[in-house]
Tab-separated table of all heavy atoms in Angstrom:
chain	number	residue	atom	x	y	z
T	19	GLU	N	-49.968	-41.378	26.204
T	19	GLU	CA	-49.419	-40.302	25.380
T	19	GLU	C	-48.459	-39.416	26.192
T	19	GLU	O	-47.545	-38.824	25.612
T	19	GLU	CB	-50.539	-39.458	24.766
T	19	GLU	CG	-51.157	-40.134	23.574
T	19	GLU	CD	-52.053	-39.250	22.764
T	19	GLU	OE1	-52.136	-38.031	23.039
T	19	GLU	OE2	-52.638	-39.764	21.796
T	20	GLU	N	-48.647	-39.325	27.495
T	20	GLU	CA	-47.704	-38.538	28.291
T	20	GLU	C	-46.289	-39.132	28.261
T	20	GLU	O	-45.331	-38.411	28.452
T	20	GLU	CB	-48.201	-38.490	29.757
T	20	GLU	CG	-49.374	-37.536	29.962
T	20	GLU	CD	-49.779	-37.478	31.410
T	20	GLU	OE1	-48.953	-37.729	32.311
T	20	GLU	OE2	-50.950	-37.121	31.646
T	21	LEU	N	-46.196	-40.425	28.043
T	21	LEU	CA	-44.900	-41.094	27.959
T	21	LEU	C	-44.238	-40.928	26.585
T	21	LEU	O	-43.036	-41.091	26.450
T	21	LEU	CB	-45.043	-42.602	28.238
T	21	LEU	CG	-45.592	-42.988	29.586
T	21	LEU	CD1	-45.796	-44.494	29.647
T	21	LEU	CD2	-44.661	-42.525	30.704
T	22	HIS	N	-45.047	-40.608	25.585
T	22	HIS	CA	-44.600	-40.510	24.189
T	22	HIS	C	-43.759	-39.300	23.907
T	22	HIS	O	-43.908	-38.261	24.544
T	22	HIS	CB	-45.776	-40.527	23.225
T	22	HIS	CG	-46.022	-41.826	22.599
T	22	HIS	ND1	-45.347	-42.290	21.533
T	22	HIS	CD2	-46.884	-42.806	22.940
T	22	HIS	CE1	-45.781	-43.482	21.205
T	22	HIS	NE2	-46.707	-43.837	22.044
T	23	GLY	N	-42.911	-39.445	22.891
T	23	GLY	CA	-42.289	-38.290	22.294
T	23	GLY	C	-43.216	-37.718	21.264
T	23	GLY	O	-44.437	-37.692	21.446
T	24	TYR	N	-42.669	-37.335	20.142
T	24	TYR	CA	-43.466	-36.774	19.083
T	24	TYR	C	-44.227	-37.871	18.322
T	24	TYR	O	-43.698	-38.998	18.205
T	24	TYR	CB	-42.604	-36.036	18.052
T	24	TYR	CG	-41.981	-34.781	18.609
T	24	TYR	CD1	-40.702	-34.789	19.148
T	24	TYR	CD2	-42.670	-33.563	18.556
T	24	TYR	CE1	-40.140	-33.629	19.662
T	24	TYR	CE2	-42.149	-32.392	19.053
T	24	TYR	CZ	-40.855	-32.436	19.587
T	24	TYR	OH	-40.287	-31.276	20.102
T	25	PHE	N	-45.385	-37.528	17.820
T	25	PHE	CA	-46.112	-38.387	16.900
T	25	PHE	C	-45.779	-37.914	15.488
T	25	PHE	O	-45.329	-36.769	15.301
T	25	PHE	CB	-47.595	-38.357	17.183
T	25	PHE	CG	-47.969	-38.974	18.515
T	25	PHE	CD1	-48.046	-38.190	19.651
T	25	PHE	CD2	-48.172	-40.341	18.598
T	25	PHE	CE1	-48.386	-38.771	20.889
T	25	PHE	CE2	-48.486	-40.925	19.837
T	25	PHE	CZ	-48.588	-40.145	20.967
T	26	ILE	N	-46.033	-38.731	14.490
T	26	ILE	CA	-45.628	-38.429	13.113
T	26	ILE	C	-46.195	-37.083	12.656
T	26	ILE	O	-45.501	-36.313	11.988
T	26	ILE	CB	-46.010	-39.571	12.135
T	26	ILE	CG1	-45.316	-39.399	10.798
T	26	ILE	CG2	-47.512	-39.714	11.988
T	26	ILE	CD1	-43.851	-39.711	10.773
T	27	ASN	N	-47.414	-36.758	13.025
T	27	ASN	CA	-48.023	-35.482	12.574
T	27	ASN	C	-47.488	-34.271	13.318
T	27	ASN	O	-47.762	-33.136	12.938
T	27	ASN	CB	-49.535	-35.553	12.654
T	27	ASN	CG	-50.120	-36.432	11.588
T	27	ASN	OD1	-49.545	-36.564	10.501
T	27	ASN	ND2	-51.228	-37.078	11.894
T	28	ASP	N	-46.741	-34.493	14.413
T	28	ASP	CA	-46.167	-33.384	15.181
T	28	ASP	C	-44.813	-32.941	14.622
T	28	ASP	O	-44.316	-31.899	14.999
T	28	ASP	CB	-45.944	-33.795	16.643
T	28	ASP	CG	-47.230	-34.193	17.345
T	28	ASP	OD1	-48.290	-33.653	16.987
T	28	ASP	OD2	-47.140	-35.045	18.268
T	29	LEU	N	-44.227	-33.754	13.774
T	29	LEU	CA	-42.855	-33.517	13.296
T	29	LEU	C	-42.815	-32.581	12.122
T	29	LEU	O	-43.753	-32.556	11.290
T	29	LEU	CB	-42.185	-34.834	12.956
T	29	LEU	CG	-41.998	-35.805	14.115
T	29	LEU	CD1	-41.513	-37.153	13.637
T	29	LEU	CD2	-41.045	-35.216	15.149
T	30	GLN	N	-41.733	-31.854	11.991
T	30	GLN	CA	-41.494	-30.958	10.860
T	30	GLN	C	-40.024	-31.108	10.410
T	30	GLN	O	-39.149	-31.280	11.260
T	30	GLN	CB	-41.730	-29.493	11.233
T	30	GLN	CG	-43.154	-29.195	11.608
T	30	GLN	CD	-43.316	-27.754	12.014
T	30	GLN	OE1	-42.413	-26.936	11.957
T	30	GLN	NE2	-44.525	-27.418	12.450
T	31	VAL	N	-39.805	-31.013	9.127
T	31	VAL	CA	-38.431	-31.011	8.600
T	31	VAL	C	-37.683	-29.848	9.248
T	31	VAL	O	-38.216	-28.761	9.402
T	31	VAL	CB	-38.437	-30.895	7.063
T	31	VAL	CG1	-37.040	-30.655	6.531
T	31	VAL	CG2	-39.050	-32.164	6.435
T	32	GLY	N	-36.446	-30.129	9.670
T	32	GLY	CA	-35.618	-29.105	10.278
T	32	GLY	C	-35.589	-29.150	11.813
T	32	GLY	O	-34.710	-28.550	12.430
T	33	MET	N	-36.511	-29.890	12.404
T	33	MET	CA	-36.504	-30.022	13.859
T	33	MET	C	-35.185	-30.666	14.273
T	33	MET	O	-34.701	-31.595	13.599
T	33	MET	CB	-37.683	-30.833	14.372
T	33	MET	CG	-39.036	-30.146	14.215
T	33	MET	SD	-40.416	-31.230	14.693
T	33	MET	CE	-40.361	-31.058	16.482
T	34	THR	N	-34.603	-30.204	15.370
T	34	THR	CA	-33.275	-30.636	15.817
T	34	THR	C	-33.271	-30.826	17.335
T	34	THR	O	-33.933	-30.066	18.037
T	34	THR	CB	-32.198	-29.589	15.454
T	34	THR	OG1	-32.191	-29.459	14.024
T	34	THR	CG2	-30.823	-30.002	15.917
T	35	ASP	N	-32.506	-31.802	17.770
T	35	ASP	CA	-32.241	-31.928	19.214
T	35	ASP	C	-30.851	-32.466	19.413
T	35	ASP	O	-30.227	-32.964	18.459
T	35	ASP	CB	-33.258	-32.854	19.896
T	35	ASP	CG	-33.589	-32.359	21.309
T	35	ASP	OD1	-32.656	-31.919	22.031
T	35	ASP	OD2	-34.768	-32.404	21.713
T	36	VAL	N	-30.331	-32.286	20.640
T	36	VAL	CA	-28.912	-32.541	20.916
T	36	VAL	C	-28.772	-33.296	22.236
T	36	VAL	O	-29.550	-33.128	23.172
T	36	VAL	CB	-28.169	-31.220	21.024
T	36	VAL	CG1	-26.722	-31.388	21.453
T	36	VAL	CG2	-28.236	-30.457	19.692
T	37	TYR	N	-27.712	-34.135	22.300
T	37	TYR	CA	-27.286	-34.791	23.530
T	37	TYR	C	-25.796	-34.597	23.649
T	37	TYR	O	-25.083	-34.715	22.656
T	37	TYR	CB	-27.618	-36.306	23.455
T	37	TYR	CG	-27.144	-37.115	24.621
T	37	TYR	CD1	-27.782	-37.045	25.875
T	37	TYR	CD2	-26.067	-37.973	24.491
T	37	TYR	CE1	-27.345	-37.815	26.945
T	37	TYR	CE2	-25.620	-38.744	25.562
T	37	TYR	CZ	-26.268	-38.681	26.792
T	37	TYR	OH	-25.856	-39.436	27.844
T	38	VAL	N	-25.329	-34.250	24.860
T	38	VAL	CA	-23.905	-34.022	25.076
T	38	VAL	C	-23.409	-34.925	26.174
T	38	VAL	O	-24.066	-35.049	27.229
T	38	VAL	CB	-23.623	-32.536	25.433
T	38	VAL	CG1	-22.145	-32.309	25.730
T	38	VAL	CG2	-24.105	-31.604	24.327
T	39	ARG	N	-22.276	-35.606	25.945
T	39	ARG	CA	-21.736	-36.510	26.958
T	39	ARG	C	-20.224	-36.534	26.854
T	39	ARG	O	-19.662	-36.573	25.755
T	39	ARG	CB	-22.264	-37.942	26.682
T	39	ARG	CG	-21.596	-39.000	27.484
T	39	ARG	CD	-22.507	-39.612	28.471
T	39	ARG	NE	-21.787	-40.625	29.237
T	39	ARG	CZ	-22.176	-41.032	30.386
T	39	ARG	NH1	-23.256	-40.507	30.937
T	39	ARG	NH2	-21.536	-41.958	31.026
T	40	THR	N	-19.562	-36.514	28.005
T	40	THR	CA	-18.109	-36.670	28.082
T	40	THR	C	-17.808	-38.137	28.329
T	40	THR	O	-18.332	-38.734	29.266
T	40	THR	CB	-17.512	-35.796	29.185
T	40	THR	OG1	-17.841	-34.432	28.900
T	40	THR	CG2	-15.985	-35.946	29.251
T	41	VAL	N	-16.974	-38.719	27.461
T	41	VAL	CA	-16.631	-40.144	27.547
T	41	VAL	C	-15.682	-40.360	28.737
T	41	VAL	O	-14.682	-39.653	28.900
T	41	VAL	CB	-15.951	-40.604	26.239
T	41	VAL	CG1	-15.551	-42.076	26.335
T	41	VAL	CG2	-16.904	-40.383	25.060
T	42	THR	N	-15.983	-41.385	29.529
T	42	THR	CA	-15.155	-41.703	30.672
T	42	THR	C	-14.544	-43.113	30.535
T	42	THR	O	-15.005	-43.925	29.700
T	42	THR	CB	-15.978	-41.698	31.981
T	42	THR	OG1	-16.947	-42.772	31.943
T	42	THR	CG2	-16.692	-40.348	32.159
T	43	GLU	N	-13.533	-43.373	31.334
T	43	GLU	CA	-12.970	-44.731	31.443
T	43	GLU	C	-14.050	-45.736	31.803
T	43	GLU	O	-14.118	-46.804	31.187
T	43	GLU	CB	-11.888	-44.707	32.515
T	43	GLU	CG	-11.390	-46.089	32.923
T	43	GLU	CD	-10.423	-46.713	31.920
T	43	GLU	OE1	-9.858	-45.996	31.075
T	43	GLU	OE2	-10.213	-47.947	31.964
T	44	THR	N	-14.906	-45.367	32.717
T	44	THR	CA	-15.986	-46.266	33.136
T	44	THR	C	-16.917	-46.585	31.963
T	44	THR	O	-17.339	-47.730	31.818
T	44	THR	CB	-16.796	-45.633	34.295
T	44	THR	OG1	-15.895	-45.404	35.377
T	44	THR	CG2	-17.921	-46.550	34.748
T	45	ASP	N	-17.229	-45.604	31.160
T	45	ASP	CA	-18.078	-45.845	29.963
T	45	ASP	C	-17.480	-46.925	29.078
T	45	ASP	O	-18.171	-47.838	28.634
T	45	ASP	CB	-18.235	-44.582	29.113
T	45	ASP	CG	-19.019	-43.466	29.823
T	45	ASP	OD1	-19.792	-43.761	30.743
T	45	ASP	OD2	-18.830	-42.313	29.423
T	46	ILE	N	-16.185	-46.804	28.821
T	46	ILE	CA	-15.517	-47.753	27.917
T	46	ILE	C	-15.473	-49.149	28.527
T	46	ILE	O	-15.770	-50.136	27.862
T	46	ILE	CB	-14.108	-47.248	27.550
T	46	ILE	CG1	-14.256	-45.998	26.672
T	46	ILE	CG2	-13.303	-48.327	26.840
T	46	ILE	CD1	-12.951	-45.283	26.375
T	47	VAL	N	-15.136	-49.247	29.817
T	47	VAL	CA	-15.079	-50.540	30.504
T	47	VAL	C	-16.450	-51.193	30.525
T	47	VAL	O	-16.630	-52.355	30.190
T	47	VAL	CB	-14.511	-50.378	31.900
T	47	VAL	CG1	-14.673	-51.684	32.709
T	47	VAL	CG2	-13.037	-49.987	31.849
T	48	GLN	N	-17.505	-50.414	30.891
T	48	GLN	CA	-18.842	-50.975	30.935
T	48	GLN	C	-19.345	-51.378	29.563
T	48	GLN	O	-19.981	-52.415	29.413
T	48	GLN	CB	-19.806	-50.006	31.610
T	48	GLN	CG	-19.553	-49.878	33.106
T	48	GLN	CD	-20.507	-48.922	33.785
T	48	GLN	OE1	-21.150	-48.072	33.143
T	48	GLN	NE2	-20.606	-49.035	35.095
T	49	TYR	N	-19.036	-50.551	28.547
T	49	TYR	CA	-19.469	-50.914	27.191
T	49	TYR	C	-18.803	-52.214	26.781
T	49	TYR	O	-19.440	-53.091	26.166
T	49	TYR	CB	-19.191	-49.795	26.190
T	49	TYR	CG	-19.789	-50.109	24.846
T	49	TYR	CD1	-21.121	-49.847	24.591
T	49	TYR	CD2	-19.052	-50.788	23.862
T	49	TYR	CE1	-21.690	-50.191	23.378
T	49	TYR	CE2	-19.626	-51.137	22.657
T	49	TYR	CZ	-20.949	-50.834	22.415
T	49	TYR	OH	-21.501	-51.209	21.217
T	50	SER	N	-17.514	-52.352	27.095
T	50	SER	CA	-16.776	-53.572	26.762
T	50	SER	C	-17.441	-54.788	27.430
T	50	SER	O	-17.617	-55.842	26.783
T	50	SER	CB	-15.328	-53.455	27.197
T	50	SER	OG	-14.647	-54.662	27.024
T	51	GLN	N	-17.818	-54.653	28.674
T	51	GLN	CA	-18.438	-55.751	29.427
T	51	GLN	C	-19.800	-56.091	28.860
T	51	GLN	O	-20.134	-57.265	28.719
T	51	GLN	CB	-18.554	-55.370	30.903
T	51	GLN	CG	-17.201	-55.299	31.594
T	51	GLN	CD	-17.296	-54.711	33.003
T	51	GLN	OE1	-18.247	-54.016	33.342
T	51	GLN	NE2	-16.269	-54.961	33.800
T	52	ILE	N	-20.576	-55.085	28.533
T	52	ILE	CA	-21.949	-55.309	28.029
T	52	ILE	C	-21.891	-55.902	26.621
T	52	ILE	O	-22.613	-56.835	26.301
T	52	ILE	CB	-22.761	-54.012	28.036
T	52	ILE	CG1	-23.044	-53.594	29.469
T	52	ILE	CG2	-24.044	-54.156	27.231
T	52	ILE	CD1	-23.553	-52.181	29.621
T	53	SER	N	-21.041	-55.345	25.767
T	53	SER	CA	-21.009	-55.759	24.376
T	53	SER	C	-20.165	-56.986	24.087
T	53	SER	O	-20.336	-57.662	23.084
T	53	SER	CB	-20.508	-54.621	23.487
T	53	SER	OG	-19.108	-54.401	23.755
T	54	GLY	N	-19.197	-57.238	24.982
T	54	GLY	CA	-18.259	-58.342	24.740
T	54	GLY	C	-17.090	-57.917	23.871
T	54	GLY	O	-16.202	-58.697	23.573
T	55	ASP	N	-17.045	-56.642	23.466
T	55	ASP	CA	-15.970	-56.134	22.628
T	55	ASP	C	-14.824	-55.625	23.534
T	55	ASP	O	-14.862	-54.513	23.988
T	55	ASP	CB	-16.464	-55.009	21.718
T	55	ASP	CG	-15.395	-54.418	20.815
T	55	ASP	OD1	-14.194	-54.792	20.941
T	55	ASP	OD2	-15.741	-53.552	19.996
T	56	ASN	N	-13.848	-56.498	23.743
T	56	ASN	CA	-12.726	-56.124	24.580
T	56	ASN	C	-11.453	-55.958	23.728
T	56	ASN	O	-10.357	-56.236	24.200
T	56	ASN	CB	-12.513	-57.132	25.703
T	56	ASN	CG	-12.247	-58.542	25.195
T	56	ASN	OD1	-12.197	-58.769	23.984
T	56	ASN	ND2	-12.073	-59.476	26.102
T	57	ASN	N	-11.609	-55.503	22.503
T	57	ASN	CA	-10.511	-55.230	21.633
T	57	ASN	C	-9.486	-54.367	22.385
T	57	ASN	O	-9.834	-53.338	22.964
T	57	ASN	CB	-11.040	-54.482	20.399
T	57	ASN	CG	-9.987	-54.158	19.364
T	57	ASN	OD1	-8.808	-54.036	19.637
T	57	ASN	ND2	-10.442	-53.983	18.136
T	58	PRO	N	-8.207	-54.750	22.376
T	58	PRO	CA	-7.219	-53.974	23.135
T	58	PRO	C	-7.027	-52.535	22.649
T	58	PRO	O	-6.472	-51.713	23.387
T	58	PRO	CB	-5.940	-54.795	22.997
T	58	PRO	CG	-6.167	-55.736	21.866
T	58	PRO	CD	-7.632	-55.923	21.778
T	59	ILE	N	-7.512	-52.193	21.480
T	59	ILE	CA	-7.446	-50.802	21.019
T	59	ILE	C	-8.288	-49.907	21.925
T	59	ILE	O	-8.053	-48.721	22.032
T	59	ILE	CB	-7.828	-50.660	19.542
T	59	ILE	CG1	-7.223	-49.398	18.975
T	59	ILE	CG2	-9.332	-50.706	19.345
T	59	ILE	CD1	-7.167	-49.367	17.467
Side-chain angles (χ1 to χ4, degrees):
E19 282 194 5
E20 285 182 25
L21 299 175
H22 258 279
Y24 291 95
F25 292 93
I26 193 74
N27 288 329
D28 300 330
L29 296 172
Q30 296 178 5
V31 170
M33 290 175 80
T34 298
D35 216 319
V36 174
Y37 176 74
V38 178
R39 170 112 180 158
T40 300
V41 178
T42 67
E43 168 78 17
T44 300
D45 294 338
I46 292 173
V47 170
Q48 288 180 342
Y49 187 84
S50 174
Q51 292 169 340
I52 291 167
S53 69
D55 180 354
N56 60 1
N57 182 335
I59 202 162

